[in-house]
Amino acid sequence: MWEARLSSFWRAVFAEFLGTMFYVFFGLGASLRWIVGPTNVLQVALAFGLVAATMVQSLGHVSGAHINPAVTMAFLLSSQLSLFRAVFYVVAQVLGGLAGAAVLYGVTPPALRGNLALNTMHPGINVSQATIVEIILTLQFVLCVFATYDERRNGRMGSVALAVGFSLTLGHLFGMYYTGAGMNPARSFAPAVITRNFTNHWVYWVGPIIGGLMGGFLYDFILFPRMRSISERLSILKGDRPVATHTSREPPGDPIELKTQAP
């Protein structure tokens, strides 16, 4: 729990709250049907992809910009953060999502507020099929996050933020027709609370978390394994040993003023 004594830890937790709040606010806001007709899937997919890319670019160096409990659980599985940090990240993400949905609800005309419940399963698929879709969508997303965030890659090409945004856009372009493309339990939980609609809500927790864990395991244990012993992994999980992350370091102390005497 030494992390709790660092200001960088609390900045990272707040960044997760803020990032998830913006993610839910802009993503769900772009999903509202202001005119009669079907949802513009391309608009929704681009909105979620763009806001994710923006948050990665803006907050990635502060907290890693997980803004998704499924991503945080995957990083926990691969021993890239402590259990203590993971718990605070998930709580911050859930609260941030609720804040974003609440603000959006407050600024949205009453006649449109019912559209906040974006996660709706197609009537032609059952919960098992929906869960599998959510698993696959989140699997490909977390795989992209792990690959692009990996500090071991030499000569990394392209933009990390854009890669993450494109991966999320891809998931929405496909998944919107099946499940509404949850891919993020915090993003799904927030509108469910605001609209009090929890029908088949467990699908949007079970599917993304399983998919996230599978993506993290596939990358970090099979495709590009991290050579750490069990004792090293347990030490990181318990917080006994710091691990290199994308968070910023503690700022240095006050600079020392050098004074010279006039001759």
Side-chain angles (χ1 to χ4, degrees):
M1 297 178 64
W2 57 271
E3 290 179 292
R5 298 194 295 269
L6 302 177
S7 60
S8 60
F9 171 80
W10 296 108
R11 288 198 299 269
V13 171
F14 179 68
E16 288 299 308
F17 171 87
L18 191 65
T20 313
M21 182 184 73
F22 282 137
Y23 179 75
V24 170
F25 180 82
F26 285 103
L28 292 185
S31 309
L32 295 174
R33 298 190 186 106
W34 288 84
I35 58 176
V36 178
T39 301
N40 188 326
V41 174
L42 179 60
Q43 173 180 313
V44 176
L46 286 175
F48 276 108
L50 288 174
V51 70
T54 303
M55 292 303 101
V56 170
Q57 186 68 31
S58 304
L59 305 173
H61 62 293
V62 180
S63 67
H66 295 184
I67 61 176
N68 186 337
V71 172
T72 299
M73 295 296 291
F75 274 102
L76 181 66
L77 174 68
S78 65
S79 303
Q80 295 192 56
L81 77 169
S82 68
L83 177 61
F84 182 77
R85 181 180 289 262
V87 169
F88 274 83
Y89 270 25
V90 171
V91 171
Q93 291 156 3
V94 171
L95 293 179
L98 287 172
V103 173
L104 181 61
Y105 185 86
V107 300
T108 300
L112 299 175
R113 289 173 177 171
N115 296 330
L116 288 175
L118 180 62
N119 294 133
T120 54
M121 291 168 43
H122 189 279
I125 67 173
N126 55 45
V127 290
S128 298
Q129 293 170 323
T131 304
I132 292 174
V133 168
E134 285 292 318
I135 289 174
I136 295 174
L137 295 179
T138 314
L139 168 60
Q140 68 84 23
F141 175 63
V142 170
L143 193 62
C144 175
V145 170
F146 268 60
T148 53
Y149 276 28
D150 195 346
E151 74 283 352
R152 298 170 296 167
R153 294 182 64 174
N154 295 322
R156 185 167 52 193
M157 301 293 291
S159 167
V160 172
L162 285 180
V164 172
F166 285 151
S167 176
L168 199 62
T169 300
L170 171 64
H172 279 78
L173 286 174
F174 176 87
M176 283 289 297
Y177 295 103
Y178 287 82
T179 63
M183 302 172 63
N184 184 331
R187 176 263 220 214
S188 303
F189 181 69
V193 171
I194 297 299
T195 61
R196 298 177 179 83
N197 181 6
F198 290 93
T199 304
N200 298 321
H201 181 67
W202 63 268
V203 170
Y204 299 98
W205 282 85
V206 174
I209 289 178
I210 292 177
L213 293 176
M214 289 175 61
F217 180 83
L218 182 62
Y219 184 84
D220 243 22
F221 290 88
I222 298 177
L223 296 177
F224 201 0
R226 291 181 184 271
M227 301 305 176
R228 290 181 180 143
S229 66
I230 295 179
S231 61
E232 288 176 321
R233 291 181 179 274
L234 289 176
S235 180
I236 293 171
L237 291 175
K238 291 188 296 182
D240 297 335
R241 174 176 176 171
V243 59
T245 65
H246 292 271
T247 59
S248 59
R249 297 180 179 178
E250 283 291 289
D254 294 333
I256 299 175
E257 181 180 3
L258 299 178
K259 299 181 179 179
T260 59
Q261 294 181 345

